[in-house]
Amino acid sequence: MRVRYVIISVLLICFIISFSLSIYFYLKALNNNARLTDGKPIQSPAYHFILIPEEMDNPYWHLVEEGAKAAGAKIDAAIEYKGPVQTNMEEHIDAIDTAIAAKVDGIITQGTPNPKMTAVINAAIQKGIPVITIDSDDPNSRRVAYIGTNNFKAGYQAGKALVKATHGKAEVGVVTGNFDSANEKQRVAGFKKAISEAPDVHIVDVEESHITRVRAAEETYNMLIKYPKINAFFGTSALDGTGISAIVEQLARKKDTYIMAFDTLKDTQALIKKGNIDATVSQEPYQMGYKSVMMLLDILKGKQVKPLNYTDSKILHASDLPISTKDAEVKKK
Ligand code: BGC
């Protein structure tokens, strides 16, 4: 009897406590909400765009993100930044698929002419969601436009500059981001075209860094051990130059090794200033992000847009640095 009485009392106390807590948190939530909204209903942004990079936590893609978010803030568009943690085609395609299911107002994605990527881009268009490719194109798809570097031209520029700096005599090791990426392939093709015009410049080897600095360093090391005659490198994606430079310095080969990098990330600029990297090909990732958001708005408003929109690429040396990683062109407008 006594035991029963104790159990009932305990249960009753528990009930009273949890009931009071529920009331307390309910009132607190109401209060917070009132403070957040300040009595007015929360306004959701006018547009929801998604930016799908090749790799989320890559400093190059963070510049694209920054540009896109700056434009988004101007036009009241929420910019969701979502994609593979590390470069991965399947995950990239899944991210586009998920964006379609979420019925976003527009998709900005790195493109590549992979049949599955083409199909998912076409599926978005079919559902009335405009798609812009940036940085790398998928011209086989029905994407509305491409904004980014003319990658063949950029590779060609790199080749010409390397030929000039090495006085037309070089044995070159190429470290490229991914063999499958359209932009990387075009850069290598442009580079090959430029050096085909110089009989004493040859490519000794081309290896893949999976767009990481560590793999770029590893591949550089392997190349230099296997082919000690290499006296020039071309790194075709944003972190390759710094990886190459680390090994060239470690093996004390800097004096007789020319390095052409890609992009103008802070570390690359610092190494050019130090004399460890000789030159780099600049791109405009911030512009790509900014312009793609503005273009999505134009498309949604029914304006005609150009399908091919090349941003600038240049060869930069120490005397051209430092350069801002963003704004130049946006400010001119
Ligand atoms: C390329 C991007 C790539 C990045 C990797 C850039 O040069 O344009 O496609 O994702 O390098 O770091």
Side-chain angles (χ1 to χ4, degrees):
M1 194 63 190
R2 210 181 136 71
V3 173
R4 213 159 142 208
Y5 175 76
V6 171
I7 292 176
I8 290 175
S9 310
V10 169
L11 285 177
L12 202 66
I13 291 169
C14 286
F15 172 77
I16 292 171
I17 292 176
S18 54
F19 184 71
S20 319
L21 283 175
S22 310
I23 299 239
Y24 169 77
F25 284 117
Y26 173 72
L27 291 175
K28 198 167 165 187
L30 272 186
N31 194 24
N32 273 349
N33 207 23
R35 245 186 291 142
L36 275 178
T37 58
D38 204 16
K40 291 177 219 133
I42 297 177
Q43 291 281 320
S44 51
Y47 306 98
H48 174 197
F49 298 152
I50 188 161
L51 166 61
I52 305 174
E54 171 173 13
E55 181 170 280
M56 287 281 281
D57 203 12
N58 182 298
Y60 171 88
W61 283 99
H62 282 314
L63 292 174
V64 180
E65 180 192 8
E66 243 186 85
K69 288 192 170 159
K74 261 196 158 170
I75 63 165
D76 192 23
I79 311 297
E80 194 182 346
Y81 177 70
K82 214 165 189 182
V85 175
Q86 284 182 325
T87 174
N88 178 313
M89 186 56 69
E90 293 296 318
E91 285 177 27
H92 194 135
I93 290 163
D94 282 352
I96 302 179
D97 221 15
T98 310
I100 299 173
K103 298 195 169 74
V104 295
D105 298 309
I107 298 174
I108 302 162
T109 179
Q110 190 203 38
T112 216
N114 167 308
K116 284 188 189 163
M117 165 85 80
T118 307
V120 78
I121 291 178
N122 291 350
I125 299 286
Q126 182 77 33
K127 293 240 157 84
I129 302 174
V131 179
I132 293 179
T133 50
I134 48 162
D135 175 66
S136 175
D137 196 11
D138 180 2
N140 301 341
S141 71
R142 293 174 57 206
R143 53 90 177 121
V144 186
Y146 166 69
I147 302 181
T149 303
N150 177 337
N151 286 293
F152 184 88
K153 180 186 139 198
Y156 187 83
Q157 288 173 303
K160 277 287 184 201
L162 183 143
V163 168
K164 189 169 170 210
T166 58
H167 309 289
K169 265 188 170 311
E171 299 298 319
V172 189
V174 176
V175 178
T176 189
N178 285 310
F179 286 145
D180 289 341
S181 300
N183 56 348
E184 308 279 337
K185 281 192 202 161
Q186 288 154 0
R187 288 171 195 178
V188 175
F191 184 80
K192 284 187 174 161
K193 170 86 174 67
I195 66 164
S196 72
E197 295 157 15
D200 291 330
V201 177
H202 311 110
I203 293 183
V204 179
D205 196 6
V206 183
E207 297 295 342
E208 206 180 11
S209 68
H210 296 280
I211 67 171
T212 70
R213 183 180 181 277
V214 176
R215 285 291 295 272
E218 242 174 67
E219 294 304 339
T220 304
Y221 182 82
N222 295 341
M223 275 195 233
L224 278 174
I225 298 301
K226 204 162 164 200
Y227 309 105
K229 66 175 178 181
I230 290 180
N231 62 359
F233 279 98
F234 175 34
T236 77
S237 73
L239 302 176
D240 297 337
T242 51
I244 294 168
S245 158
I247 296 301
V248 168
E249 188 171 23
Q250 195 178 310
L251 298 181
R253 293 283 304 265
K254 183 52 211 148
K255 249 175 67 198
D256 52 7
T257 309
Y258 178 88
I259 302 176
M260 169 67 73
F262 225 95
D263 295 300
T264 51
L265 297 180
K266 277 197 190 121
D267 289 353
T268 308
Q269 292 200 39
L271 287 168
I272 297 176
K273 275 286 183 198
K274 246 178 97 184
N276 290 25
I277 294 178
D278 296 278
T280 195
V281 186
S282 69
Q283 303 194 82
E284 298 187 321
Y286 184 93
Q287 299 295 325
M288 293 178 205
Y290 190 94
K291 288 180 174 171
S292 54
V293 167
M294 290 308 197
M295 188 177 275
L296 274 181
L297 182 64
D298 283 347
I299 296 166
L300 291 176
K301 286 185 171 166
K303 289 193 194 155
Q304 280 294 320
V305 300
K306 276 200 304 176
L308 272 185
N309 305 272
Y310 288 132
T311 46
D312 204 13
S313 63
K314 284 196 193 84
I315 303 297
L316 302 182
H317 299 92
S319 56
D320 305 308
L321 303 177
I323 66 149
S324 151
T325 40
K326 26 180 152 159
D327 267 321
E329 216 171 305
V330 176
K331 277 184 187 149
K332 270 193 241 154
K333 286 193 168 175

